[in-house]
Amino acid sequence: MQGWNPVRITSSIVLLIGIIAVSAASILIRNAQTAAPSLVIASYRMAIASVVVVPVALWRHHNDLRKLRKTEWLLAAASGVFLALHFAAWVTSLEYTSVTSSVVLDATSPLWVAIGSWLLLRERLTLPVIFGLIVAVAGSLVIGFGDMMQGARSASLLGNCLALVGALMVTGYWLIGRRVRASVSLVPYVAIVYSMAAVVLLMMVGGARQSLTGYDTITYVWMVLLALVPQLVGHSSFNWALARLPAVYVAVATLGEPIGATVLAYFLLGETPTTIRMLGAALVLAGIAVTMSRQPNAAPIEPQ
């Protein structure tokens, strides 16, 4: 009964809470997009998360922050840039494609992390990883083919491409994080990353000449919930579980996000995924599951 000890049961419950929290991200974004531009939504998400995390880092981890080397500061800042680009691409993708297609294609990031680890960190790329990559890419092509059969072909394909760009950008975030987190504790690291991501996104909002104000109250409510629930509750739950469960267990568990998002989109947005999209999604998730279950040293990938 070791597999069902109290620590594992508690951790599994926390993981479930994390999956539910991050699954709500795409729904909250869709609601906010009725009034606010995608870049504004992404910038609010990271700015609010920073406002919550930074004071904690300064209060409880000021000694850790002072001990950071220049290289660690620069790498953490670079990680924040990748995270900002990830959210800019992924949030925008939801304007053009379905929730199912967006979250499933964005969930391919574990595969790109495995490839990046092979290219940049000299980690061995095993046959199961290669097989999982082929299956997941096949699933992505199925989703793209299914969207080409829909009426708004160009819009859906643009959304799918943005979701894949988001997955590639978050890969940079995780590859840098793998190196920095070896010497930097969690709270100082995310404080720097979230703050940098917020700054970059706010600069993008300014460059696009979009306004951060003037929206109705409910839009601000959606954006605050986006920061508090998927970003802080969701991400914190997964990070908490990582200290108590094998990394692969947590990484595979995060594959519940596309399923949760699809279910919520069906009930709350009336968005019914097509059969071919569901087939593509199943292939993508199967490919990722094979890759992660046979790659014990792969970086755990957190949902949006």
Side-chain angles (χ1 to χ4, degrees):
M1 297 298 291
Q2 183 178 0
W4 292 101
N5 60 65
V7 172
R8 185 171 291 271
I9 293 174
T10 302
S11 301
S12 298
I13 293 173
V14 172
L15 273 179
L16 178 60
I17 293 172
I19 292 171
I20 295 172
V22 298
S23 296
S26 54
I27 309 302
L28 295 170
I29 290 169
R30 274 289 182 83
N31 287 332
Q33 281 175 335
T34 59
S38 296
L39 288 178
V40 171
I41 296 170
S43 64
Y44 265 104
R45 173 176 183 164
M46 296 313 305
I48 295 171
S50 300
V51 168
V52 174
V53 172
V54 169
V56 176
L58 293 175
W59 177 42
R60 300 289 298 274
H61 301 271
H62 53 276
N63 289 329
D64 294 333
L65 287 170
R66 282 201 296 264
K67 294 177 183 177
L68 293 182
R69 298 186 297 271
K70 181 180 179 180
T71 302
E72 293 168 334
W73 277 98
L74 291 175
L75 286 174
S79 182
V81 173
F82 276 111
L83 185 61
L85 295 175
H86 159 68
F87 280 128
W90 177 67
V91 173
T92 304
S93 76
L94 288 165
E95 292 184 27
Y96 301 102
T97 192
S98 68
V99 168
T100 299
S101 295
S102 178
V103 296
V104 167
L105 293 174
D106 186 62
T108 60
S109 54
L111 301 176
W112 313 128
V113 168
I115 293 175
S117 298
W118 173 58
L119 292 173
L120 302 176
L121 304 178
R122 306 303 183 192
E123 293 182 354
R124 190 165 62 94
L125 197 59
T126 62
L127 285 178
V129 172
I130 296 173
F131 175 74
L133 176 61
I134 293 172
V135 172
V137 169
S140 300
L141 293 175
V142 169
I143 291 175
F145 177 74
D147 286 338
M148 287 180 65
M149 298 175 63
Q150 303 298 312
R153 298 179 183 177
S154 60
S156 293
L157 287 176
L158 174 60
N160 292 344
C161 288
L162 286 171
L164 282 174
V165 169
L168 291 171
M169 292 299 101
V170 84
T171 297
Y173 163 64
W174 282 113
L175 287 174
I176 294 174
R178 287 191 64 169
R179 176 176 174 182
V180 180
R181 285 284 284 115
S183 58
V184 180
S185 58
L186 177 63
V187 174
Y189 174 70
V190 298
I192 298 170
V193 172
Y194 288 4
S195 299
M196 188 64 187
V199 169
V200 172
L201 286 166
L202 289 171
M203 290 174 63
M204 294 174 70
V205 168
R209 298 186 181 277
Q210 296 174 349
S211 175
L212 293 169
T213 60
Y215 306 107
D216 53 8
T217 302
I218 190 61
T219 300
Y220 289 111
V221 170
W222 297 133
M223 291 190 289
V224 170
L225 288 175
L226 181 63
L228 297 181
V229 179
Q231 190 66 36
L232 292 177
V233 174
H235 279 232
S236 298
S237 296
F238 283 99
N239 280 303
W240 184 91
L242 279 172
R244 295 160 177 82
L245 294 174
V248 171
Y249 185 92
V250 178
V252 174
T254 64
L255 299 181
E257 182 204 351
I259 300 172
T262 299
V263 172
L264 290 176
Y266 176 78
F267 286 105
L268 300 180
L269 301 178
E271 190 175 281
T272 303
T274 62
T275 301
I276 196 165
R277 274 178 172 163
M278 291 301 294
L279 174 60
L283 286 172
V284 171
L285 296 179
I288 297 173
V290 169
T291 299
M292 298 305 295
S293 64
R294 300 298 179 89
Q295 189 76 2
N297 294 322
I301 302 303
E302 285 184 21
Q304 314 312 317

